[in-house]
Amino acid sequence: MTSPERPFDALLEALRNAGREELLPRFHGHLAVSEKTDGSLVTSADHAVDRRLRDTLEQLFPEIPVLSEEQPRAAQQAALDGSGPCWLLDPLDGTTNFAGGMPFFAISLALIDTGGVAYGATYDPIRDELFSVARGTGLRLNGEAPASRPPEQADLSRCTALVDYKRLPHRLALALVTEPPFRSQRNLGACALEWAWLAAGRADLYLHGGQALWDSAAGTLMLTESGGRQCTLEGGPVFRRSLHKPSAVAARSPALQDVWLGWLRAAA
């Protein structure tokens, strides 16, 4: 099987080109939009990036299956079956933002193996920011270690949190709205890019009630390599080789994660 190390640089360039050539023209021009069976949006941009990058992955890594958000569920499960490597592709993270003209969306890709997530990349074409990570090597932003402010150690009141309320248990969501423990809260509408921003130090805390593995895989490795921590609300791993959608609780330091998780459990 082809080793991913050397072709990975070519793959990062392919992500950047797909964002520039497939997403940006459609963001500023004609876009076909439809609804999936679950009510979420899918656009001609999703399909264009999906086709392009799946072709690229099949050329560079012909023996590694690809799981894309745009595949039928049966094909997704088939890609996950077994314990070998598998690519996870989200061709357009933040489709609702994209279709509505909000400039916060990305392409995200991760390689998983028997050890979990091995590689990850998330590209934001609006800002031309390419976040990438390999297990054991640290986060990179456009090829360099990103400048980042020191994380808050254990003071939630000084923190900015990225929180998606709509998938949280009602009692917990109510507590977060009426008695927020943090300084400020954002929900930016593109999970993979939110994870990358958290890892780069642009927020301190993260909370999501349930997200797909292509939403979180690259970002969980980015955060780990940046010194942060994550788990589910129940304390289990966020990344699982499964189509199940677990919750996600994360913070930029272990001490801050302990305090954040303690507050959430007490509020729930």
Side-chain angles (χ1 to χ4, degrees):
M1 181 173 62
T2 303
S3 172
E5 281 79 1
R6 282 192 296 174
F8 194 59
D9 286 343
L11 187 55
L12 292 178
E13 189 62 23
L15 253 69
R16 177 170 261 130
N17 290 338
R20 290 171 171 173
E21 297 169 14
E22 306 292 352
L23 290 186
L24 288 182
R26 289 175 172 87
F27 185 62
H28 298 295
H30 176 72
L31 185 69
V33 183
S34 59
E35 285 191 7
K36 300 180 185 180
T37 55
D38 63 1
S40 61
L41 298 182
V42 62
T43 72
S44 51
D46 295 75
H47 293 305
V49 175
D50 182 65
R51 287 191 299 268
R52 180 164 175 161
L53 290 181
R54 285 172 64 185
D55 286 347
T56 299
L57 289 166
E58 288 166 7
Q59 291 170 13
L60 291 175
F61 310 98
E63 298 180 29
I64 302 180
V66 180
L67 187 163
S68 170
E69 180 183 9
E70 303 312 322
Q71 290 174 313
R73 188 176 178 88
Q76 293 174 341
Q77 187 60 58
L80 284 179
D81 287 344
S83 58
C86 176
W87 290 106
L88 305 177
L89 172 63
D90 189 345
L92 177 50
D93 172 49
T95 299
T96 299
N97 284 354
F98 186 90
M102 296 181 64
F104 193 82
F105 53 85
I107 302 170
S108 192
L109 182 69
L111 177 67
I112 62 174
D113 61 16
T114 54
V117 186
Y119 293 90
T122 297
Y123 179 57
D124 173 358
I126 292 291
R127 297 162 190 83
D128 190 29
E129 291 189 329
L130 178 57
F131 301 87
S132 62
V133 67
R135 191 163 52 210
T137 65
L139 175 66
R140 294 291 180 267
L141 172 54
N142 292 338
E144 304 290 337
S148 177
R149 62 188 174 85
E152 302 295 344
Q153 290 304 306
D155 188 351
L156 298 182
S157 69
R158 298 170 61 89
C159 291
T160 297
L162 301 175
V163 179
D164 187 327
Y165 287 101
K166 67 180 179 292
R167 295 181 176 90
L168 296 176
H170 176 75
R171 181 173 175 178
L172 177 57
L174 184 62
L176 286 163
V177 170
T178 57
E179 300 179 70
F182 34 69
R183 172 179 286 164
S184 189
Q185 175 269 330
R186 306 286 186 270
N187 177 213
L188 303 177
C191 296
L193 193 50
E194 288 180 334
W195 277 104
W197 278 32
L198 180 69
R202 298 175 184 178
D204 304 295
L205 309 171
Y206 187 73
L207 178 63
H208 198 289
Q211 57 187 212
L213 71 172
W214 52 80
D215 291 322
S216 62
T220 56
L221 181 59
M222 290 177 189
L223 184 62
T224 297
E225 290 291 326
S226 300
R229 295 291 183 271
Q230 67 271 318
C231 65
T232 65
L233 282 166
E234 297 76 29
V238 174
F239 173 76
R240 309 175 192 181
R241 195 180 176 111
S242 168
L243 294 177
H244 172 70
K245 295 182 177 181
S247 58
V249 179
R252 293 181 56 222
S253 73
L256 191 56
Q257 173 75 343
D258 289 343
V259 177
W260 178 221
L261 189 60
W263 189 96
L264 292 169
R265 288 174 171 168

